[in-house]
């Protein structure tokens, strides 16, 4: 069996969720990966991933913004050689892979969290409140991978061969206009080893700045609950939860977050969970390894001071 | 311009779901059902486009058991003009739904399809993308803003690092994310009016589509429960435990 993995890449490196997708793919068979776009260095970065035997490159500006319409056409053109087509469950993977599946007359399998065998997969349903084991009867499988469920492969150690994809006609029905990306010096939420998240208890957007010294100290990404996003404290890309990002860092610190089911669905696979909340009955304490009942506005400076010792 | 809005009847988002003891699925008998929240947002957006004079007619389509007619009735009360129910007791998966929608789109010729980005029951996040593929149309998924001008749709999408705007040729499929709008509550007069709006009921066979699922549910289980840990008395104790016990800092 040979598997093709669509990789998310930026500025010559492979995004961590995609390295998790490669890890998932190695459980299924020989792994080829696809680098689409003119991102210099991305193909070399892909070739260095352990477990990858071939990098297929499609160096065309048409793929630079990862629009689903041309990318799906490219993947469908390559699909004949593969039993499984994979991508990480990122904004790109979720946009592209179902389109690929429909073009191949396949029912996609979204957000796979475990691989049982070549046809059988586990995926969360109902916001992670249940786990479904599903068996596909399609000849080809089209899958997105829940990155938090698979440890990513390393960035070095491999030496795959490169091969250019055949040029095909691409649909010209969608065009990139602009992007507004949040720029941050901090690690990305889905890739961070430590995540510090604030909730409605932060009271306003200004107070979210109080999390930054702590995040800097820990090398952490800053996240938020949906309540904090809906209240307008921070942009939506901070959101951790079923409707936001799914994270599984080594350490997750929830500050002023009550622990709604929808938030827990996005972080309960973290290795160690810390909750700081002044309401001792907050549901977040039911999943926290370490809970501190305290006013966050006194606990935060104390925590920062203690970590500086 | 006609707008077609597919909607799904799902377990209400406030219900704490229970996995059936025999592991065959999630209990839905006697459970409150509602319109999928993302689909409510899709209906709201269509109604706003009609209020602006951009859309001429809104068709709400649902597929599933006879009770889906209630979900369509909710959409009609929010402002949709008529409904189509594809009635079946069979389990429907996104590929079959997309194929049936493709036939309905060919019949109705809408200029725009707006739908929820995902259903909160199976969490597939697939049907919109699949319908776009089958029709050969462009797709604007996870939309937080829609502007129709110059014969195209400008869709602002929620992506991992922020927002992205794409220009899409029409007709197109747009899938709604949470922040596209806040859906209205249907007023009592509109609920009364909705009772008189037409709902056409057809079967999958009328659309020439075999809805047989491609995925077999082997089992459904509860996720492993996380054990509550300990409460610490002070910040100093917390830091000590994180350093010495959990060894994560």
């Amino acid at each position: 069996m040979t598997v093709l993995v669509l990789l998310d890449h930026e500025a010559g490196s492979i995004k961590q969720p995609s390295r998790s997708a490669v890890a998932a793919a190695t459980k299924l068979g020989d792994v080829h990966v696809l680098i689409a776009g003119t991102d210099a260095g991305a193909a070399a970065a892909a070739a260095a991933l352990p477990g990858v035997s071939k990098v297929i490159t499609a160096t065309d500006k048409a793929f630079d913004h990862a629009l689903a319409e041309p990318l799906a056409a490219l993947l469908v053109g390559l699909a004949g050689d593969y039993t499984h087509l994979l991508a990480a469950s990122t904004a790109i993977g979720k946009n592209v892979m179902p389109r690929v599946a429909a073009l191949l007359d396949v029912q996609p399998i979204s957000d796979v969290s475990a691989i049982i065998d070549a046809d059988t997969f586990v995926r969360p349903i109902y916001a992670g409140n249940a786990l479904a084991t599903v068996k596909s009867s399609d000849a080809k499988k089209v899958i997105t991978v829940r990155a938090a469920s698979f440890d990513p492969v390393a960035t070095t150690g491999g030496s795959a061969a490169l091969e250019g994809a055949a040029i095909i006609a691409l649909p010209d029905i969608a065009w990139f206009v602009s992007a507004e990306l949040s720029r941050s010096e901090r690690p990305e939420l889905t890739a961070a080893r430590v995540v510090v998240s604030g909730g409605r208890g932060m009271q306003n957007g200004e107070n979210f700045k109080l999390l930054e010294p702590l995040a800097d100290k820990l090398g952490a990404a800053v996240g938020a609950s949906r309540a904090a996003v809906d209240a307008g404290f921070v942009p939506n890309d901070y959101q951790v939860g079923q409707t936001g990002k799914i994270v599984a860092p080594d350490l997750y610190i929830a500050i002023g977050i009550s622990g709604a089911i929808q938030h827990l669905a996005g972080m309960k696979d973290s290795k160690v969970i810390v909750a700081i909340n002044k309401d001792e009955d907050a549901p977040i304490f039911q999943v926290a390894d370490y809970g501190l009942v305290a006013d966050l506005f006194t606990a935060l400076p104390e925590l920062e001071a203690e970590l500086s010792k | 311009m006609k707008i077609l809005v597919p909607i799904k009847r799902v377990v209400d988002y406030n219900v704490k779901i229970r996995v059936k003891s025999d592991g065959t699925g999630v209990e839905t008998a006697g459970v409150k059902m509602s319109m999928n929240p993302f689909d409510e947002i899709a209906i709201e957006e269509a109604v706003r486009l009609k209020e602006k004079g951009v859309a001429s007619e809104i068709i709400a389509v649902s597929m599933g058991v006879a009770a889906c007619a209630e979900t369509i009735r909710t959409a009609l009360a929010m402002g949709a003009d008529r409904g189509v129910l594809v009635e079946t007791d069979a389990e429907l998966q996104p590929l079959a739904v997309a194929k049936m929608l493709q036939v309905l789109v060919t019949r109705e010729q809408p200029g725009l399809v707006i739908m929820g980005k995902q259903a909160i029951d199976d969490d597939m996040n697939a049907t919109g993308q699949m319908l776009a593929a089958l029709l050969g149309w462009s797709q604007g998924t996870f939309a937080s803003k829609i502007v129709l001008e110059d014969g195209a749709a400008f869709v602002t999408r929620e992506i991992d690092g922020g927002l992205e705007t794409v220009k899409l040729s029409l007709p197109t499929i747009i899938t709604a994310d949470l922040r596209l709008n806040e859906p209205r509550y249907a007023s009592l007069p509109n609920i009364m009016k909705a009772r008189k709006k037409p709902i056409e009921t057809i079967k999958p066979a009328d659309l020439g589509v075999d809805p047989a699922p491609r995925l077999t549910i082997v089992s459904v289980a509860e996720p492993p429960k996380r054990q509550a840990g300990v409460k610490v008395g002070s910040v100093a104790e917390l830091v000590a435990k994180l350093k010495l016990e959990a060894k994560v800092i």
Side-chain angles (χ1 to χ4, degrees):
Chain A
M1 286 193 297
T2 313
V3 184
L4 182 64
V5 185
L6 170 68
L7 298 183
D8 286 23
H9 54 90
E10 184 179 54
S13 69
I14 309 303
K15 299 271 197 132
Q16 180 169 320
S18 291
R19 291 192 285 113
S20 289
V22 169
T26 57
K27 296 178 191 289
L28 290 164
D30 191 22
V31 180
H32 295 182
V33 297
L34 173 62
I35 293 285
T38 58
D39 182 7
L49 299 178
V52 173
S53 66
K54 190 194 277 181
V55 179
I56 297 172
T57 57
T59 313
D60 186 323
K61 277 191 180 143
F63 304 122
D64 275 353
H65 297 287
L67 294 172
E69 295 82 353
L71 259 185
L74 174 66
L75 276 158
V76 168
L78 295 167
D81 299 335
Y82 300 99
T83 54
H84 298 73
L85 301 173
L86 268 67
S89 278
T90 57
I92 293 172
K94 289 190 281 194
N95 192 29
V96 173
M97 297 313 271
R99 189 171 178 106
V100 171
L103 293 171
L104 296 170
D105 192 27
V106 166
Q107 168 60 47
I109 311 164
S110 307
D111 220 16
V112 163
S113 60
I115 294 170
I116 308 292
D117 60 37
D119 306 313
T120 316
F121 308 90
V122 179
R123 56 182 303 273
I125 55 175
Y126 289 91
N129 289 306
L131 295 175
T133 302
V134 296
K135 191 175 165 66
S136 168
S137 60
D138 287 314
K140 251 182 229 310
K141 281 42 164 184
V142 177
I143 292 168
T144 56
V145 174
R146 174 167 282 215
S149 301
F150 297 88
D151 287 332
V153 297
T155 51
T156 56
S159 56
L162 267 59
E163 183 182 301
I167 293 163
I168 53 161
L170 297 173
D172 189 27
I173 50 179
W175 306 273
F176 173 81
V177 176
S178 62
E180 278 174 60
L181 301 179
S182 324
R183 284 283 158 223
S184 169
E185 301 298 308
R186 297 208 177 78
E188 276 190 47
L189 264 176
T190 50
R193 204 187 66 80
V194 181
V195 173
V196 177
S197 282
R200 202 197 295 273
M202 297 305 295
Q203 295 180 0
N204 58 50
E206 196 59 31
N207 285 341
F208 254 80
K209 296 210 175 81
L210 299 173
L211 300 180
E212 290 176 8
L214 177 63
D216 289 340
K217 201 127 272 172
L218 295 167
V222 176
S225 68
R226 181 167 153 196
V229 171
D230 284 349
F233 299 171
V234 284
N236 193 43
D237 54 301
Y238 278 59
Q239 192 188 142
V240 173
Q242 181 59 24
T243 51
K245 297 199 171 72
I246 312 289
V247 302
D250 290 347
L251 173 61
Y252 188 88
I253 305 182
I255 297 174
I257 291 178
S258 64
I261 292 173
Q262 109 85 26
H263 185 72
L264 301 184
M267 47 65 82
K268 66 183 164 54
D269 294 329
S270 306
K271 293 200 177 70
V272 175
I273 297 174
V274 170
I276 301 176
N277 200 302
K278 66 180 174 191
D279 173 10
E280 63 178 315
D281 296 324
I284 190 80
F285 288 124
Q286 288 164 22
V287 301
D289 299 285
Y290 302 105
L292 176 64
V293 180
D295 186 303
L296 67 94
F297 295 105
T298 51
L300 267 177
E302 271 180 54
L303 185 52
E304 200 199 323
E306 192 68 31
L307 288 168
S308 306
K309 275 187 189 169
Chain B
M1 177 198 283
K2 272 197 219 177
I3 301 182
L4 189 130
V5 185
I7 54 177
K8 187 175 186 183
R9 181 175 179 265
V10 298
V11 172
D12 187 88
Y13 74 99
N14 278 317
V15 171
K16 184 157 170 35
I17 59 116
R18 274 190 309 119
V19 171
K20 287 184 191 170
S21 52
D22 63 359
T24 57
V26 165
E27 191 59 67
T28 54
V31 171
K32 186 185 178 199
M33 307 292 281
S34 299
M35 193 192 305
N36 179 44
F38 291 107
D39 303 348
E40 282 188 345
I41 296 171
I43 289 280
E44 174 67 33
E45 195 67 15
V47 173
R48 289 184 190 188
L49 286 169
K50 191 178 174 197
E51 286 167 350
K52 280 186 204 157
V54 177
S56 53
E57 187 186 30
I58 300 166
I59 306 150
V61 178
S62 194
M63 298 179 182
V65 296
C68 293
E70 294 164 19
T71 314
I72 294 176
R73 212 50 89 181
T74 305
L76 298 176
M78 287 175 71
D81 296 292
R82 62 185 168 93
V84 178
L85 169 61
V86 182
E87 191 187 328
T88 173
D89 290 334
E91 186 205 342
L92 295 176
Q93 290 177 352
L95 180 62
V97 173
K99 285 180 178 178
M100 291 193 279
L101 286 172
Q102 180 192 10
V103 178
L104 284 172
V105 165
T106 308
R107 191 185 85 177
E108 298 285 351
Q109 296 284 313
L112 186 62
V113 175
I114 311 180
M115 54 205 289
K117 73 162 179 177
Q118 79 188 68
I120 61 165
D121 50 4
D122 65 15
D123 284 333
M124 274 289 191
N125 189 339
T127 307
Q129 296 89 314
M130 297 180 85
L131 177 59
L134 295 176
L135 290 164
W137 290 8
S138 55
Q139 66 188 54
T141 51
F142 327 143
S144 62
K145 190 181 170 195
I146 301 172
V147 177
L148 295 174
E149 62 183 27
D150 304 335
F154 291 80
V155 176
T156 302
R157 308 177 54 232
E158 306 255 359
I159 59 168
D160 290 337
L163 297 171
E164 170 190 88
T165 302
V166 290
K167 178 183 176 185
L168 306 173
S169 63
L170 292 175
T172 190
I173 311 272
I174 296 175
T175 74
D177 214 321
L178 272 181
R179 297 196 307 164
L180 182 59
N181 60 50
E182 277 195 37
R184 70 195 63 195
Y185 289 101
S187 66
L188 190 58
N190 284 341
I191 292 170
M192 303 303 285
K193 257 193 262 173
R195 290 186 186 170
K196 296 205 178 70
K197 291 181 179 174
I199 299 180
E200 175 193 8
T201 301
I202 53 176
K203 302 278 181 193
D206 298 330
L207 300 172
V209 173
D210 171 13
R214 303 284 184 88
L215 296 180
T216 313
I217 311 278
V218 179
S219 64
V220 174
E222 291 205 22
K225 285 241 182 332
R226 207 178 164 106
Q227 295 296 319
V230 296
K231 291 251 171 77
V232 293
S234 69
V235 167
E237 188 187 346
L238 173 63
V239 171
K241 288 224 187 269
L242 289 177
K243 280 186 176 156
L244 304 172
E245 196 175 273
K247 297 190 171 66
V248 285
I249 56 171

